[in-house]
Amino acid sequence: MKLTIKDVARAARVSVATASMAINNREGVSEKTRAKVLGVARELNYVPDHSARALVMQRSSVVGLMIPEIQNPFYSAIVDILTRIAEERGFTLLLGISNSNSRQEAEYVRMFLSRRVCGVIVVPMLANHPDISHLDMLRAADVPVVFCTENYALCEEPLVMCDFASGEYQMTRYLLDKGLTDFWFVSTDMDVQFARLRYDGFCRALREAGLAVNPERVMLLKSPRYRHAYDATDRIVDDLPQAVLCINDIMTMAIMKRMNERGLRIPRDVSVAGFDDVMFSELVSPPLTTVRQPLAAICEKTMEILEAKLAAGADQASVERGRTYLIQPELVIRETTL
Amino acid sequence: MKLTIKDVARAARVSVATASMAINNREGVSEKTRAKVLGVARELNYVPDHSARALVMQRSSVVGLMIPEIQNPFYSAIVDILTRIAEERGFTLLLGISNSNSRQEAEYVRMFLSRRVCGVIVVPMLANHPDISHLDMLRAADVPVVFCTENYALCEEPLVMCDFASGEYQMTRYLLDKGLTDFWFVSTDMDVQFARLRYDGFCRALREAGLAVNPERVMLLKSPRYRHAYDATDRIVDDLPQAVLCINDIMTMAIMKRMNERGLRIPRDVSVAGFDDVMFSELVSPPLTTVRQPLAAICEKTMEILEAKLAAGADQASVERGRTYLIQPELVIRETTL
DNA sequence: CCAGAAATTTGAAACGTTTCAGGCGAAGGG
DNA sequence: CCCTTCGCCTGAAACGTTTCAAATTTCTGG
């Protein structure tokens, strides 16, 4: 026996319409009546039904958040931050975990649609050339999409991301300034924008220092995963550079683990630098030198853009298509570099 | 301009009622008609509106999942598994992240209520004697609750959890069999059930081996957190036991980190054993010997119980109050014990 | 070919909201 | 004292579904 606004109205001796207006802080209700309604509502522990509200208002306050994984601390941090931000602004997040699988992502898009989300935040999959035709369903239904952290090739929706190039540039500069010149760079398929950008930053720093990048020392892994990096480390160890720059912290930890097993001491024998500054980066030993993606700022901006698109409604001119918002990262020097 | 069932009905030249029955696989529709409706629906990319459906059926397919944190890999694993299980069974998960804060948990309960969840899965907060009066709101609204992993004192809702006592017993036995007899046990406030149970298992194994537990070597931390364990490790190192048994993997990693810094080699100088088998336990070096909580089985059972309560509806006799379902854990021996 | 049964289809009500066009009474202006 | 204006309140429609009783069609057997 759920409590409806009718019960509140009856108890407050007003009409349903009045009760609704009072509860939603609309004007046209006397202060006295509003106070009474609110009092009764509180007393009865009335909670409005969001679905019914969404139904009549033709607009929900649910936003879909699509992520590729959740056990990966990078993504769980995003979920954590975005959940808080969304809640603060009166939205509720619906989570889709694609496991970097197009089919699953498509299924979650359908779920989002049937739950009538008012917008979707997409953190792209970890895959080379994923099938993203399901995004057309969102476009067809006029559901605004914002990319967070990264985007898919050829998508025109706005994107909020860390300035990867700048981050990798800064890190490379830092190592260069320490007198290191002999690097390995470990990355993934360069078709993926975020990999390419970090590489660009790395190259620029080298170029400015008058050094050439040695393509034999750029390792391109199939996907940016722990396992791949772990397995590939032996090649690096055999060559033993002065420093290894790696595209994300998860893989960096894999490399460190393998180096450890091979008897190398970090940073005495090799320096190692990551990217992301995931929660565990600080807890590993030795704690990881890395580039911090300012996730709080990124998520904040993402939500802001989404709200702007929502407010714009039909006349979408207000948010430029294809616009990218870059957030500046921050070097965090810990103990894996000397 | 959203697509409704009316559009489908019109396109298929049937009434809305028929379209609804066809789409929901109800009987009383001829095969021919059903095929036509389904065809049209697919072609138009029709997605039913879950809110409208929930409104009229007076029953949603959304279940609330309350967790204390999400950056902690133990909890993100639960979210991962439960999301998949829920989706498979036609439910959608709504996430509440309480940060082990009663006020926040209460707020998420309100959110669950206003989103009209049909049930709630609660993974309790990491706090000593939390205020849980907000759970009464769920009870008042007749929303079934199932505890997962652990419960709050004095709550009568069903609980699905790992058999902690058995797990800690097995681990202690294992170490005993290796000839170790000199332990530290690090835990948290024993009022918390899951801590108490692990301790019970530890004590039983010792007792069976004819050994006494030395209360001076039982360390009770304020809460089961990385930081606390890290800070407390010095006391253990100064005493240098043969082995340290720790109540969860996160704290175990903290202990290992500190020991590492203090120059101790694991397991040569001390053996260390954790509990949970979190994703990172395998990736640390050396990889952690621990007790695996069978999360998949736990989550599966949790969902099953919730569905049973849902099906039972008003006559709640079918699920006994206060019932606890124990799932057996599994020892995973890696390299932190000799 | 017809009555009756069975199968299929349909119109309308209901779910909990918001909103809009009005209604009612009191205050203000002439 | 009447007309207008204003403030406050209300009834009813609408949102996208499901479901139930009733209507219509099809089938069955005589």
Side-chain angles (χ1 to χ4, degrees):
Chain A
M1 239 230 357
K2 301 275 185 274
L3 206 58
T4 81
I5 201 173
K6 274 185 206 154
D7 303 306
V8 175
R10 194 174 320 117
R13 296 168 192 292
V14 294
S15 74
V16 170
T18 306
S20 171
M21 296 172 97
I23 287 167
N24 292 289
N25 270 318
R26 291 218 137 23
E27 53 183 29
V29 190
S30 71
E31 268 324 307
K32 211 176 65 179
T33 315
R34 180 191 308 285
K36 175 139 89 192
V37 172
L38 257 28
V40 169
R42 181 150 324 118
E43 187 178 347
L44 296 181
N45 245 314
Y46 166 72
V47 194
D49 183 327
H50 264 88
S51 317
R53 184 180 291 188
L55 188 58
V56 50
M57 300 210 296
Q58 293 290 75
R59 144 95 89 159
S60 82
S61 53
V62 179
V63 346
L65 170 59
M66 185 79 79
I67 56 172
E69 311 178 356
I70 194 171
Q71 301 222 35
N72 181 320
F74 179 70
Y75 299 112
S76 57
I78 292 182
V79 173
D80 198 11
I81 298 172
L82 272 178
T83 302
R84 192 179 39 69
I85 295 178
E87 212 64 37
E88 270 169 14
R89 308 203 182 190
F91 293 92
T92 293
L93 278 193
L94 224 44
L95 200 58
I97 308 175
S98 70
N99 285 308
S100 291
N101 173 342
S102 289
R103 238 187 20 57
Q104 276 192 58
E105 193 168 293
E107 236 162 76
Y108 277 109
V109 164
R110 259 185 290 276
M111 186 272 269
F112 287 165
L113 251 17
S114 75
R115 299 286 177 192
R116 295 294 189 267
V117 297
C118 61
V120 173
I121 296 173
V122 176
V123 182
M125 297 182 264
L126 266 43
N128 284 356
H129 301 285
D131 173 11
I132 50 167
S133 49
H134 49 274
L135 294 186
D136 288 335
M137 295 173 55
L138 293 172
R139 297 182 185 120
D142 268 326
V143 175
V145 169
V146 179
F147 286 104
C148 176
T149 272
E150 206 182 316
N151 70 359
Y152 292 127
L154 303 175
C155 289
E156 300 220 293
E157 286 83 3
L159 159 65
V160 182
M161 73 176 188
C162 169
D163 189 340
F164 295 122
S166 157
E168 202 66 68
Y169 172 82
Q170 287 178 56
M171 179 58 84
T172 312
R173 273 296 295 267
Y174 173 80
L175 296 175
L176 250 12
D177 290 349
K178 289 276 178 184
L180 307 177
T181 55
D182 182 22
F183 302 110
W184 267 77
F185 186 82
V186 0
S187 177
T188 184
D189 185 359
M190 290 290 184
D191 288 352
V192 182
Q193 183 180 33
F194 82 101
R196 156 119 247 132
L197 288 171
R198 291 179 219 205
Y199 182 66
D200 289 348
F202 170 69
C203 292
R204 181 158 74 91
L206 249 49
R207 204 175 334 112
E208 286 184 13
L211 296 169
V213 307
N214 179 349
E216 311 226 314
R217 288 180 163 178
V218 172
M219 180 173 303
L220 264 30
L221 270 11
K222 263 203 299 271
S223 81
R225 292 247 161 68
Y226 190 92
R227 191 79 230 166
H228 294 135
Y230 182 86
D231 293 340
T233 304
D234 281 336
R235 278 182 49 207
I236 303 176
V237 172
D238 294 340
D239 188 51
L240 202 54
Q242 292 176 311
V244 178
L245 282 163
C246 180
I247 221 180
N248 72 34
D249 284 356
I250 302 286
M251 291 198 293
T252 310
M253 290 180 204
I255 292 170
M256 285 168 66
K257 171 136 197 263
R258 186 64 191 142
M259 285 178 163
N260 216 320
E261 291 166 1
R262 293 279 307 260
L264 257 42
R265 305 287 281 170
I266 299 170
R268 214 192 46 198
D269 303 325
V270 225
S271 286
V272 170
F275 206 117
D276 287 349
D277 194 27
V278 129
M279 182 179 230
F280 285 90
S281 307
E282 191 179 359
L283 309 181
V284 182
S285 44
L288 190 50
T289 292
T290 188
V291 182
R292 172 174 308 152
Q293 284 208 46
L295 283 187
I298 291 176
C299 292
E300 203 81 59
K301 190 71 185 173
T302 304
M303 198 65 205
E304 187 187 306
I305 304 295
L306 187 62
E307 281 192 271
K309 288 192 90 169
L310 253 27
D315 55 315
Q316 42 223 12
S318 86
V319 180
E320 307 147 54
R321 295 169 69 79
R323 171 80 196 266
T324 296
Y325 300 82
L326 286 182
I327 314 283
Q328 285 309 309
E330 182 189 343
L331 238 49
V332 355
I333 307 302
R334 287 195 278 244
E335 303 169 24
T336 54
T337 50
L338 40 78
Chain B
M1 236 224 6
K2 301 275 186 273
L3 205 59
T4 81
I5 201 173
K6 273 185 206 152
D7 302 304
V8 175
R10 193 173 322 116
R13 296 166 192 292
V14 296
S15 73
V16 170
T18 307
S20 170
M21 296 171 98
I23 287 168
N24 293 290
N25 271 318
R26 292 217 135 26
E27 53 182 31
V29 190
S30 70
E31 268 324 307
K32 212 178 63 177
T33 314
R34 181 191 307 284
K36 174 139 92 192
V37 171
L38 256 28
V40 169
R42 181 149 324 117
E43 187 178 347
L44 295 181
N45 245 314
Y46 166 73
V47 194
D49 183 327
H50 264 88
S51 316
R53 184 180 288 184
L55 188 58
V56 50
M57 300 210 298
Q58 293 289 75
R59 144 97 88 159
S60 81
S61 53
V62 179
V63 346
L65 170 60
M66 186 79 79
I67 57 172
E69 311 178 357
I70 193 171
Q71 303 223 33
N72 181 321
F74 179 70
Y75 299 112
S76 57
I78 292 181
V79 173
D80 198 11
I81 298 172
L82 272 178
T83 302
R84 191 180 39 70
I85 294 177
E87 211 65 34
E88 271 170 13
R89 308 201 181 192
F91 293 92
T92 292
L93 238 42
L94 222 45
L95 200 59
I97 308 175
S98 70
N99 285 309
S100 292
N101 173 342
S102 289
R103 237 189 17 59
Q104 275 193 58
E105 193 167 294
E107 235 161 77
Y108 278 109
V109 164
R110 258 184 290 274
M111 186 271 269
F112 287 166
L113 253 16
S114 75
R115 299 287 175 190
R116 295 294 189 265
V117 297
C118 62
V120 173
I121 296 173
V122 176
V123 182
M125 296 181 264
L126 266 44
N128 284 355
H129 301 285
D131 173 10
I132 50 167
S133 49
H134 50 274
L135 294 186
D136 288 334
M137 294 173 57
L138 293 172
R139 297 183 184 118
D142 268 324
V143 175
V145 169
V146 179
F147 286 103
C148 177
T149 273
E150 206 183 316
N151 69 0
Y152 291 127
L154 303 175
C155 288
E156 299 219 296
E157 286 83 3
L159 159 65
V160 181
M161 73 176 185
C162 168
D163 188 339
F164 295 122
S166 157
E168 202 66 67
Y169 172 82
Q170 287 177 56
M171 180 58 83
T172 313
R173 272 294 295 267
Y174 173 80
L175 296 175
L176 250 13
D177 289 349
K178 288 277 178 182
L180 306 177
T181 54
D182 183 22
F183 302 110
W184 266 78
F185 187 82
V186 0
S187 177
T188 184
D189 185 359
M190 290 291 185
D191 288 352
V192 182
Q193 185 181 31
F194 81 102
R196 155 119 249 131
L197 289 171
R198 290 178 219 207
Y199 182 66
D200 289 348
F202 170 70
C203 293
R204 182 159 73 90
L206 249 49
R207 205 176 333 113
E208 286 184 14
L211 296 169
V213 306
N214 179 348
E216 310 227 315
R217 289 181 164 180
V218 173
M219 179 174 304
L220 264 31
L221 270 10
K222 260 204 300 274
S223 81
R225 293 246 161 68
Y226 189 93
R227 190 79 230 166
H228 294 135
Y230 182 87
D231 293 340
T233 304
D234 281 336
R235 276 181 51 207
I236 304 177
V237 172
D238 293 340
D239 188 51
L240 202 53
Q242 292 177 310
V244 178
L245 282 163
C246 180
I247 220 181
N248 72 35
D249 283 356
I250 301 287
M251 290 198 294
T252 310
M253 290 180 206
I255 293 171
M256 284 168 66
K257 169 133 200 265
R258 186 64 191 141
M259 284 177 163
N260 216 320
E261 291 167 0
R262 294 279 308 259
L264 257 43
R265 304 289 280 172
I266 299 169
R268 213 190 50 196
D269 303 325
V270 225
S271 286
V272 170
F275 206 117
D276 288 348
D277 193 27
V278 131
M279 181 180 231
F280 284 90
S281 308
E282 191 179 359
L283 309 181
V284 180
S285 48
L288 191 50
T289 291
T290 188
V291 181
R292 172 174 309 151
Q293 284 209 46
L295 282 187
I298 291 175
C299 292
E300 203 82 59
K301 189 71 184 174
T302 303
M303 198 65 206
E304 186 188 307
I305 304 296
L306 186 62
E307 281 192 271
K309 287 192 92 170
L310 252 27
D315 54 315
Q316 41 224 15
S318 85
V319 180
E320 307 148 54
R321 294 171 68 81
R323 171 81 196 266
T324 296
Y325 300 83
L326 285 182
I327 313 284
Q328 286 308 310
E330 181 189 344
L331 238 49
V332 355
I333 306 301
R334 286 194 279 246
E335 304 169 23
T336 54
T337 51
L338 39 80

